[in-house]
Amino acid sequence: MKDVYLFSGFLGSGKTSMLVDVLRQCKEEGLKPAVIMNELGEIPFDSRAVDGEVPLKEILDGCICCTGGEKTEAQIQTLLHEADFDVLIIETTGAAHPVEALDAVYSPLFADRLNIKGIVTVADSRRWLEREGLSPQARSLFLEQIRHAHLILANKSDLLTEAEKARVVFELQGLNPNAMILQTVHGRVPLKWLKAMQATAGKMEISPARIGHHLHLGSRVIEFTRPFALEEFEEWVRGLPDTVYRMKGYVPIEGMAYPMLFQYAYGLIQWLPEYMKMPPKIVVIGENVQSIQVIGDKML
């Protein structure tokens, strides 16, 4: 399985600086990295920082999440088919919500080949202290990126006093008590801290997958062995807790020749017919997903 890290962070926080340094460390340790970069513009400015020897895929003029999710899946499929790599790093645009970006990484087509290590969020420490000056939308996104991280870099700490540094760490920890917080300069984080992030447990086809045993945001892959009545499946979905944010995959439905494409986001369900046999499994993303009660033992 390939280890996957998702780099998140507000615009200008220092994600690309972190990426360049992590790539350097990977090479020094003999690891072969690959990169997917997402940029909002039509010109790949940030990707010019990536060494030409590193397999690189770009998603331009759009977001890695939402409509960009299909592009992300295609890029990952291409990398898995064409490139020889050990570690995949996905750097999202600063405008990406971490849950949506994570959702774009998961696909039932290759979920059992990727080992999602977690979300690393780079936070500009000075901007954090001055966050009340941001627009409500920007401030909300900033907070969400931090709240869902598994590792937080309180970056640009060299620009703060000792009292300000302590305040930043205290406030970040209050917002996300589950994440490790490191104070950094130029986004430099020892590779050992990334490697120590909890890996996906077990074989995803038959066992729950999770991002860390103790972390709030996680994932789970459920494989189906029998078809369901549409109403039966939707009744189960409606009974799920609000902490389930995303689900997607292929569900075998009675009367349909092939499993149907199923997508769920914040209470909304979408079904689309498929015209070829796809793997009957879904990926669930949310908080405490291991405690979800599925539709009887026959589902697993």
Side-chain angles (χ1 to χ4, degrees), residues 9-83:
F10 206 67
L11 298 165
S13 61
K15 292 191 306 296
T16 302
S17 296
M18 174 176 64
L19 172 63
V20 172
D21 191 59
V22 168
L23 292 177
R24 175 188 61 79
Q25 294 182 72
C26 285
K27 291 183 178 181
E28 289 178 354
E29 293 199 11
L31 296 173
K32 298 177 181 178
V35 176
I36 292 178
M37 297 188 76
N38 175 220
E39 301 187 51
L40 286 174
E42 297 181 357
I43 302 176
F45 290 109
D46 287 349
S47 61
R48 295 172 185 173
V50 178
D51 191 310
E53 297 179 358
V54 176
L56 170 68
K57 296 295 180 182
E58 299 164 320
I59 303 171
L60 299 178
D61 199 23
C63 183
I64 199 169
C65 50
C66 307
T67 56
E70 294 182 0
K71 296 179 182 178
T72 306
E73 290 186 13
Q75 300 289 38
I76 293 176
Q77 283 273 56
T78 301
L79 282 173
L80 288 171
H81 180 70
E82 298 179 352

Side-chain angles (χ1 to χ4, degrees), residues 133-170:
L134 298 172
S135 69
Q137 296 85 353
R139 184 167 63 250
S140 176
L141 176 61
F142 194 12
L143 296 177
E144 286 292 284
Q145 290 174 340
I146 292 168
R147 189 170 77 87
H148 290 293
H150 304 107
L151 174 65
I152 300 172
L153 304 189
N155 199 30
K156 305 183 183 181
S157 61
D158 55 322
L159 304 179
L160 305 182
T161 65
E162 291 302 316
E164 288 174 329
K165 291 179 186 179
R167 177 184 163 192
V168 168
V169 172
F170 178 78

Side-chain angles (χ1 to χ4, degrees), residues 183-201:
Q183 292 186 321
T184 58
V185 177
H186 301 306
R188 291 176 181 166
V189 55
L191 187 60
K192 66 179 182 180
W193 286 103
L194 300 185
K195 295 169 69 175
M197 296 171 71
Q198 295 289 345
T200 300

